[in-house]
Amino acid sequence: MSKVYLEYNPFKLETIILIEGEAVRENSVLNVGNKRLQEWVDQLPIYLYEECNENEFELEFMGTSMDFEDVEEVVAKARQKDIRIHLTHIPVRELDHMEQRIEELFHEIVRGPIEELKTEDLKSTFEQALNDEFEITVVATMSAGKSTLINALLQQKIMPSSQEACTATISRIKDIDQPTFTAIPHPTFGEPLDSIKDVSLEEMTRLNNDESISMIELHGDIPFTDAKETSLVLIDTPGPNNSRDENHLKMTYKNLSESSKTLVLYILNATQLGVDDDSRLLDMVAESMKVGGKQSKDRYLFVVNKLDQFRKGEDDVEVSLSKVRKYLANRGIHDPNIFPAAALPALDIRQLMNRADEVDEDLEFEISVMTRKLNHNEQLHLERYATLTPSIRNKMNQRLKEVENGDIYNKDSALVHSGIPAIEETIKLYVDKYARTAKVKNVVDTFQQKLESSLAFEKMKESIAKQTDQHTAIQSQITTLTEKIQHGNESKAFKKKIEAINPVLQIRAEGKKILREQNQQIADVLAGKQTTKFEMEEAEAFAEELLATAQTSFTNLHANLELIIEKYLNRAAFDLLKGYREKIVRLMDGMAMEGMEFEPYELVQGNLEFNKHSIQQVVIKETVKVGEETYKNPEREGIIGFFKFFEPRTLVRDVYEEKQYIDGQSLVDLFITDVEISTRKSIDLICDEAGQIAEQIKANYGKKFEEVDRLLVKKLQELNRFTENAKNIESLLEESYQNLIWLNEMETKIKAIIELEAIKFEEEPSVDYTTI
């Protein structure tokens, strides 16, 4: 039985694995590199077996409690493969401690002696890093109870949830810990409309039904999370069978894609599985879950809603959930995270608990009946069936212990049994595991960049001051370098490099590749239909099927192209940052000074860091429709018109005499031709849009580099002070020396934030995990 030590740092994405005290070989499967634990931990037992050729191990894990739970889960599953692992945990300082240290160090830095670290730029960078949004996409088809579930999470009725007013717009609900909600409507065209404070359900229904409104931004309170920890955003997307326009679908598909890291709440109607729209979305989910290991699986929570409608003796929750698992498995989704839920009772109970004076007697009676049903019928204790970690299950059990007193009308216990608190705790755990750890690393990196620039500056001052015999030569070189920055050939060449950025050719090539894949998918649907003679009703049904296929394919094309644009522009931004550094290096050609390290780039690299954030914030614009005509369109009537979906739907063609049947080959040829024409038009529009965005990026980066050049010149001028007046050098050196001491101390403290620190106990902790 081998002894294995596993240490994982989620902030630095560093893993140390020792077997019998020795590091694993460089080519070992256990040498996982800088990957997140959740990307490979599922394979840990197999990796250990392959490495040691035995099936029993003592595994000591040092890491956070949330990462330990993932190891626990894998160890438990390993027993099914006859691999026995005796697991113990070395606990470490957790997220809360690190975030507190970050806050303390930030205030210490802005109170320190370095003036350039007290700027608004550093403050805004720090706040931006702390307040990076984390998005949760809520997806469902019609009648799954999506809006009701969101209302249950918000603990108030704010999203329209009636069948007549189901979601038709996109809503972005941002947590700012404000008790009432403010709505900002965004029309399809033009600037956002005036905000509506303390927005009501009636006003939200009106906005949702307004066809000129494309998106509603809501700012308020998401009660189960703290905005100070993470800026959570719930994205309420229209279902594919209720989307107002193709752009809505495109956003849903992008958030479901494998490149996205957003958490997804996928809501299924327990009483209505297997609709076509569900199938198309689930196919995308299955593809996305194939990559990324456990994290890809973790980011999908399948909420099985409306289980409160089951009747005792007539329906069975376990049988229903078994059907859900089988249904998902048939779509290629295996071992899903299932969360049974009764969203409507949870919402009503919370409404009554929070606003008892606003609930009428009839509703209060209904709530008491449902409360009794959830408490009395053990089959509806939905938290028991959910895919919960041990810590969350313990939290649910503890909540029940605190409130259960034999009263079947106890609202707190009924709320737990509704399954909604279990979903909330799972969301919080995911945010902690993936978003907050990344945020801590982001802030630390930001601090380090700024401190390294300041350290380089102080070291350069000291180095120049000591080279008293070379002060004249240094002055000359600083003057030469300043002129090169302002007017030199390297600066001119770099500006040309910025202007040369053009994503259109690459995007067009990628578009053609995707188009070929799309045509193949459509060809698979059309296979064998060419020789068919369709009666009119059959032709119309087949046309609807083809249109649905084309709609999905077309939307995926747009989403994929926009992801390519984002990838290209991110790469272009990276190349520009790299190019700027190369420019500075070339400016230094022939300017080496014996005994002195002179690296101008280090003086300003902290001021370039924000670009990595700003490029992530670049929002790719949606493709703009031509608009609607008021006259009738002769191209959209009859079966041929079914396929010309790139034409506005509000137009109809003149009435012609209908044929009794349609030749399958003609129909197929027409369909493929029209799909390809519309797709090529879309590629042209997207390429035009990409070109415009690239121009904007180039302009922004050009301005930023000019600002950094000016900052560099200013710092060079300050360095010149250390060569001009020998009487002042001694006092300047003393000031620089004190600054260096302080900066080194700050750098040590910042680096220590994201190091794992074991918690020391006076006595050994009583929890023993070796029984797993």
Side-chain angles (χ1 to χ4, degrees):
M1 180 169 61
S2 296
K3 291 185 178 180
V4 181
Y5 172 80
L6 168 57
E7 179 181 315
Y8 173 67
N9 186 324
F11 309 98
K12 301 170 71 175
L13 297 185
E14 287 182 356
T15 301
I16 297 173
I17 299 180
L18 306 177
I19 299 178
E20 299 293 350
E22 298 289 331
V24 297
R25 296 171 287 110
E26 187 173 336
N27 61 348
S28 167
V29 291
L30 285 168
N31 197 338
V32 295
N34 295 324
K35 291 182 179 179
R36 189 174 287 280
L37 174 78
Q38 287 73 22
E39 293 183 47
W40 56 267
V41 71
D42 282 341
Q43 300 300 314
L44 177 62
I46 299 299
Y47 287 168
L48 289 173
Y49 177 80
E50 291 177 1
E51 183 74 15
C52 303
N53 198 26
E54 57 181 299
N55 64 351
E56 188 167 4
F57 305 90
E58 286 185 8
L59 175 60
E60 188 175 46
F61 177 79
M62 180 173 176
T64 64
S65 58
M66 56 191 177
D67 288 324
F68 176 67
E69 285 194 335
D70 286 335
V71 179
E72 266 190 309
E73 180 185 342
V74 169
V75 166
K77 289 181 179 178
R79 285 179 293 183
Q80 300 171 8
K81 300 176 182 177
D82 198 30
I83 300 177
R84 296 180 297 281
I85 301 176
H86 307 280
L87 179 64
T88 55
H89 182 210
I90 302 174
V92 298
R93 297 287 184 189
E94 300 284 348
L95 264 172
D96 290 341
H97 172 78
M98 293 180 174
E99 289 178 337
Q100 181 181 345
R101 288 292 296 131
I102 285 174
E103 193 83 30
E104 292 169 354
L105 277 175
F106 172 73
H107 292 299
E108 193 171 348
I109 286 172
V110 297
R111 290 195 303 265
I114 309 299
E115 288 301 318
E116 67 183 50
L117 296 179
K118 302 179 181 182
T119 62
E120 286 299 316
D121 180 49
L122 176 63
K123 183 179 179 182
S124 63
T125 302
F126 172 74
E127 289 177 350
Q128 181 183 347
L130 278 182
N131 296 320
D132 273 353
E133 294 180 353
F134 182 80
E135 295 180 346
I136 300 175
T137 303
V138 189
V139 180
T141 50
M142 191 176 289
S143 304
K146 172 168 60 68
S147 295
T148 301
L149 180 103
I150 292 175
N151 286 335
L153 297 176
L154 300 179
Q155 300 190 13
Q156 58 179 296
K157 290 183 178 179
I158 190 72
M159 307 302 295
S161 57
S162 66
Q163 186 61 44
E164 296 77 20
C166 54
T167 309
T169 63
I170 293 171
S171 293
R172 293 187 87 257
I173 309 165
K174 183 174 180 178
D175 182 30
I176 60 170
D177 291 347
Q178 172 183 294
T180 60
F181 278 90
T182 298
I184 307 170
H186 291 251
T188 305
F189 306 102
E191 297 297 317
L193 305 179
D194 292 339
S195 61
I196 305 172
K197 294 184 178 180
D198 197 8
V199 67
S200 65
L201 175 62
E202 291 73 23
E203 287 171 312
M204 283 296 295
T205 303
R206 176 182 61 79
L207 293 172
N208 184 68
N209 291 333
D210 187 340
E211 294 189 3
S212 69
I213 302 298
S214 179
M215 193 265 284
I216 305 168
E217 195 174 347
L218 281 169
H219 294 171
D221 185 32
I222 302 177
F224 66 87
T225 186
D226 187 343
K228 292 180 181 178
E229 294 178 353
T230 305
S231 186
L232 207 63
V233 178
L234 291 173
I235 301 179
D236 183 13
T237 61
N241 46 14
N242 193 47
S243 180
R244 181 163 287 155
D245 63 34
E246 185 258 349
N247 292 328
H248 291 167
L249 281 178
K250 182 166 56 180
M251 187 183 122
T252 300
Y253 289 165
K254 284 175 70 175
N255 286 355
L256 292 180
S257 71
E258 64 188 56
S259 62
S260 172
K261 296 303 178 186
T262 63
L263 182 64
V264 177
L265 291 184
Y266 196 110
I267 306 171
L268 296 159
N269 185 344
T271 64
Q272 187 183 10
L273 293 174
V275 297
D276 289 340
D277 297 300
D278 239 358
S279 300
R280 283 192 289 273
L281 287 176
L282 289 173
D283 287 342
M284 287 201 66
V285 172
E287 285 299 312
S288 178
M289 290 178 71
K290 288 178 181 177
V291 296
K294 190 176 187 301
Q295 182 174 359
S296 290
K297 174 176 171 289
D298 281 355
R299 83 179 187 97
Y300 287 99
L301 310 185
F302 294 94
V303 180
V304 185
N305 195 23
K306 301 197 176 184
L307 286 167
D308 53 291
Q309 296 181 11
F310 282 20
R311 295 179 179 274
K312 191 173 183 179
E314 297 179 13
D315 302 296
D316 189 292
V317 171
E318 288 195 42
V319 171
S320 177
L321 295 179
S322 178
K323 289 179 180 178
V324 169
R325 289 189 175 89
K326 184 176 180 180
Y327 169 63
L328 294 176
N330 289 338
R331 310 305 314 181
I333 298 170
H334 302 282
D335 195 21
N337 297 313
I338 297 290
F339 291 84
L344 183 58
L347 171 61
D348 288 341
I349 290 170
R350 281 177 162 170
Q351 286 272 99
L352 182 60
M353 293 171 73
N354 295 339
R355 301 178 179 85
D357 56 327
E358 298 177 14
V359 178
D360 60 43
E361 292 183 5
D362 290 340
L363 179 57
E364 189 171 353
F365 176 74
E366 289 178 19
I367 293 172
S368 68
V369 171
M370 182 50 65
T371 299
R372 184 184 187 281
K373 183 178 180 180
L374 288 171
N375 284 328
H376 184 67
N377 186 354
E378 291 190 6
Q379 189 182 184
L380 292 181
H381 291 185
L382 302 180
E383 79 285 356
R384 297 190 310 170
Y385 309 97
T387 311
L388 302 180
T389 65
S391 63
I392 295 177
R393 193 167 296 284
N394 288 339
K395 282 184 180 180
M396 295 299 101
N397 291 337
Q398 186 60 36
R399 282 180 65 167
L400 289 172
K401 284 181 181 178
E402 291 172 359
V403 300
E404 282 186 333
N405 53 11
D407 180 7
I408 59 173
Y409 294 102
N410 187 295
K411 297 178 184 62
D412 291 300
S413 58
L415 190 58
V416 173
H417 296 324
S418 75
I420 297 300
I423 294 171
E424 293 169 339
E425 289 296 333
T426 302
I427 291 173
K428 287 169 64 177
L429 178 62
Y430 185 94
V431 169
D432 286 352
K433 191 184 297 183
Y434 298 111
R436 287 177 69 194
T437 53
K439 179 184 73 174
V440 167
K441 180 65 164 60
N442 189 10
V443 174
V444 167
D445 285 349
T446 299
F447 281 169
Q448 280 193 268
Q449 287 277 0
K450 296 288 185 181
L451 286 175
E452 284 170 8
S453 288
S454 296
L455 271 167
F457 194 35
E458 298 302 328
K459 288 176 181 177
M460 216 170 283
K461 289 177 182 176
E462 186 179 40
S463 180
I464 288 174
K466 290 178 179 178
Q467 304 290 327
T468 55
D469 58 333
Q470 298 191 51
H471 278 182
T472 302
I474 292 170
Q475 287 176 2
S476 176
Q477 293 208 5
I478 288 176
T479 300
T480 301
L481 182 57
T482 301
E483 290 176 353
K484 282 184 176 183
I485 292 170
Q486 293 174 329
H487 309 294
N489 291 330
E490 289 297 339
S491 294
K492 293 176 182 176
F494 183 64
K495 288 179 180 178
K496 289 181 179 178
K497 182 177 180 180
I498 294 177
E499 287 303 315
I501 292 175
N502 183 3
V504 174
L505 291 178
Q506 182 176 346
I507 291 167
R508 192 177 296 281
E510 293 288 344
K512 289 179 179 178
K513 179 182 174 183
I514 296 172
L515 176 60
R516 287 194 296 271
E517 295 172 355
Q518 173 185 271
N519 286 344
Q520 183 57 54
Q521 293 170 355
I522 293 172
D524 292 341
V525 175
L526 298 174
K529 304 294 185 181
Q530 288 88 337
T531 58
T532 304
K533 284 190 175 182
F534 291 99
E535 296 291 338
M536 287 304 299
E537 288 186 4
E538 293 174 329
E540 289 175 358
F542 184 52
E544 288 294 338
E545 180 186 351
L546 293 180
L547 282 172
T549 301
Q551 171 85 330
T552 300
S553 179
F554 199 61
T555 303
N556 273 322
L557 170 78
H558 279 214
N560 288 331
L561 279 178
E562 290 190 0
L563 288 170
I564 289 168
I565 292 173
E566 291 178 19
K567 183 178 179 181
Y568 179 91
L569 293 177
N570 273 284
R571 181 67 199 179
F574 175 81
D575 287 344
L576 286 177
L577 289 169
K578 181 182 176 184
Y580 185 85
R581 180 165 193 164
E582 291 170 352
K583 181 191 89 166
I584 297 297
V585 170
R586 285 193 295 270
L587 288 173
M588 291 298 298
D589 285 349
M591 299 183 68
M593 187 73 66
E594 185 179 348
M596 187 182 78
E597 293 185 3
F598 191 33
E599 298 288 348
Y601 180 78
E602 292 182 1
L603 302 182
V604 292
Q605 63 177 333
N607 296 85
L608 293 169
E609 174 65 17
F610 98 105
N611 289 283
K612 295 179 184 178
H613 301 304
S614 66
I615 188 62
Q616 297 297 337
Q617 295 174 355
V618 172
V619 178
I620 306 302
K621 296 179 182 179
E622 305 288 353
T623 304
V624 179
K625 292 185 178 181
V626 177
E628 295 185 355
E629 300 286 346
T630 56
Y631 57 88
K632 293 184 178 180
N633 181 5
E635 296 295 325
R636 289 301 298 268
E637 183 67 16
I639 188 62
I640 293 176
F642 269 114
F643 306 111
K644 297 192 176 180
F645 50 86
F646 58 87
E647 297 284 353
R649 284 188 174 275
T650 53
L651 307 184
V652 296
R653 66 174 291 169
D654 295 336
V655 177
Y656 292 96
E657 183 179 353
E658 291 184 344
K659 295 182 180 179
Q660 296 304 306
Y661 64 88
I662 294 178
D663 175 60
Q665 183 66 57
S666 300
L667 185 138
V668 166
D669 290 343
L670 177 62
F671 178 73
I672 291 178
T673 301
D674 284 347
V675 166
E676 187 158 341
I677 289 172
S678 64
T679 302
R680 290 187 184 280
K681 286 182 178 179
S682 293
I683 291 173
D684 289 340
L685 288 171
I686 290 172
C687 285
D688 290 343
E689 186 72 20
Q692 293 173 23
I693 295 168
E695 290 302 315
Q696 182 182 352
I697 292 288
K698 290 190 291 187
N700 291 341
Y701 269 74
K703 290 178 182 177
K704 180 60 183 177
F705 290 130
E706 287 176 4
E707 290 174 13
V708 176
D709 279 349
R710 284 194 291 272
L711 175 63
L712 182 53
V713 168
K714 182 179 178 181
K715 289 197 171 189
L716 289 172
Q717 291 170 347
E718 188 171 343
L719 289 175
N720 221 13
R721 292 173 56 206
F722 284 75
T723 68
E724 291 175 346
N725 190 333
K727 294 180 180 179
N728 293 335
I729 286 179
E730 189 173 337
S731 62
L732 290 172
L733 264 178
E734 177 61 25
E735 179 185 334
S736 180
Y737 178 70
Q738 295 300 327
N739 287 347
L740 275 171
I741 293 175
W742 183 86
L743 285 166
N744 281 315
E745 182 184 346
M746 287 299 102
E747 188 175 43
T748 301
K749 288 181 179 181
I750 285 170
K751 287 180 179 178
I753 290 176
I754 54 175
E755 296 296 337
L756 293 185
E757 181 185 353
I759 299 174
K760 296 177 182 179
F761 294 90
E762 293 183 5
E763 298 179 3
E764 288 298 316
S766 58
V767 181
D768 183 7
Y769 298 101
T770 58
T771 57
I772 294 177

